[in-house]
Amino acid sequence: MISNLLNPEILIDQVINGLTIGGIYALIALGYTLVYGILFMINFAHGEIFMFGSFGGFWALTYFVNRGITGNHPILCVAVAFLVAMVVSSVLGALLERIAYRPLRTAPRLAPLISAIGASIFLQNVMMLIIKARMQVYPDIIPEEFLEMGPVSISYFQIFIISGSVLLMVGLYLFIQKTKVGKAMRAVAEDREAALLMGIDVDRIILITFVIGSALAAAAGVMVGMYYSQINHMMGFIPGIKAFTAAVLGGIGNVVGAMLGGYFLGMAEALGVLFMPAEYKDVIAFSLLVLVLIFRPRGILGEVVSERA
């Protein structure tokens, strides 16, 4: 194992793998941290929103393949698949907020948590019935090719995931910091009652928060489907829990912290397999969570929530 760490080619390959999976974790973690920053609740159905987004892209690409469209316009088909996935997950996120969470907004905190877990199980079973519990294979419309850089090779899929996730996260950060809706989101997160008195439509802002987080999770879902090729109705559980771990690592409620936590977790898993078998990468993730909760419970960058929390 130590010899792997000393081999620069293997080390660079693992760093690239860490950045790839870290970007996916970060995109999913942003949904957790956005919702927590405003509602102080954990949306444990977020992993299933990620899963539905992946299937939305799968259905779109399958339709294009059956119609024979992908041969002439593969890039356009992928772009449309991302759009379809984001619409599917955004609608699902909005429905969850309206049906499962909004009626419980003034209830004790345990009630929305139970509702989120119930919604997660419900969505898993809905998809299981739709696909009859069978593994689905993502259409391979863009062959995997590699960019050779001396002794190191990186696939174009990895370049796309790394660059795409960074662009989406930068876009989200600029949206929150620079736009009127983003400022309203920060105001609602700081003090919901004061924001309401200032004329902000709090229900609308909360709904937009769910839609944005769901759209980012959908993008991650399509990336995972294209990268790993196989998807199923349970695919959202482990990435969802790990993304929650990433959000806690960075500081729950902290947007930048969620991004940092995602990459930190991805790198820890990728480099950890240089010291131990790959089967133990989940142990690394949850060991980090335990250590952070013990020694720095507010995360690396600290929580960003209202004093009322």
Side-chain angles (χ1 to χ4, degrees), residues 2-280:
I2 300 298
S3 61
N4 290 339
L5 185 61
L6 297 177
N7 188 322
E9 296 180 21
I10 295 177
L11 183 60
I12 293 174
D13 284 341
Q14 289 305 109
V15 168
I16 293 172
N17 290 336
L19 291 174
T20 303
I21 192 63
I24 292 170
Y25 287 156
L27 287 177
I28 306 172
L30 285 169
Y32 284 107
T33 210
L34 286 172
V35 170
Y36 186 86
I38 288 183
L39 292 178
F40 313 121
M41 65 158 284
I42 304 298
N43 178 17
F44 277 118
H46 193 60
E48 279 58 53
I49 292 175
F50 155 81
M51 177 264 292
F52 264 81
S54 186
F55 273 97
F58 166 77
W59 291 325
L61 290 177
T62 301
Y63 173 83
F64 293 141
V65 168
N66 293 337
R67 296 286 179 174
I69 301 174
T70 56
N72 297 325
H73 307 286
I75 304 299
L76 179 61
C77 290
V78 170
V80 173
F82 270 91
L83 180 62
V84 170
M86 289 181 172
V87 170
V88 168
S89 287
S90 296
V91 170
L92 182 59
L95 288 173
L96 275 178
E97 189 279 328
R98 185 66 184 86
I99 297 171
Y101 303 142
R102 189 179 298 185
L104 301 174
R105 199 172 291 170
T106 58
R109 289 192 183 183
L110 188 60
L113 177 63
I114 295 172
S115 180
I117 295 172
S120 172
I121 296 171
F122 173 77
L123 292 175
Q124 284 180 12
N125 283 274
V126 167
M127 185 56 70
M128 180 181 69
L129 292 173
I130 292 174
I131 66 172
K132 297 179 174 59
R134 296 174 181 170
M135 188 77 69
Q136 305 295 312
V137 179
Y138 242 69
D140 186 18
I141 66 172
I142 300 180
E144 186 174 11
E145 298 180 0
F146 291 84
L147 176 64
E148 303 292 338
M149 297 182 294
V152 178
S153 64
I154 178 173
S155 74
Y156 287 107
F157 278 145
Q158 289 176 314
I159 295 173
F160 170 71
I161 291 173
I162 293 170
S163 58
S165 59
V166 169
L167 288 174
L168 286 170
M169 286 184 277
V170 170
L172 173 67
Y173 181 79
L174 294 176
F175 176 83
I176 291 174
Q177 295 296 322
K178 302 296 184 182
T179 67
K180 186 176 180 181
V181 173
K183 293 176 182 178
M185 289 170 64
R186 286 185 282 139
V188 173
E190 181 63 30
D191 192 318
R192 197 186 308 170
E193 287 74 21
L196 186 62
L197 291 173
M198 296 299 294
I200 296 175
D201 189 340
V202 172
D203 287 340
R204 174 174 169 269
I205 294 302
I206 292 174
L207 184 64
I208 290 174
T209 301
F210 271 87
V211 166
I212 293 173
S214 299
L216 293 174
V222 178
M223 291 177 181
V224 166
M226 295 179 65
Y227 188 58
Y228 291 108
S229 298
Q230 293 183 334
I231 59 174
N232 61 48
H233 64 284
M234 293 295 295
M235 66 176 287
F237 180 72
I238 294 298
I241 296 297
K242 288 187 177 180
F244 171 66
T245 301
V248 174
L249 287 175
I252 192 73
N254 190 322
V255 172
V256 177
M259 301 176 192
L260 177 62
Y263 283 110
F264 184 83
L265 181 59
M267 292 298 294
E269 285 190 0
L271 297 178
V273 300
L274 298 178
F275 300 95
M276 61 182 68
E279 292 81 3
Y280 292 98

Side-chain angles (χ1 to χ4, degrees), residues 265-301:
L265 181 59
M267 292 298 294
E269 285 190 0
L271 297 178
V273 300
L274 298 178
F275 300 95
M276 61 182 68
E279 292 81 3
Y280 292 98
K281 66 178 183 178
D282 292 345
V283 175
I284 297 172
F286 298 118
S287 296
L288 282 174
L289 176 61
V290 172
L291 290 173
V292 169
L293 290 175
I294 292 173
F295 296 105
R296 192 172 176 82
R298 289 184 174 270
I300 298 171
L301 299 185

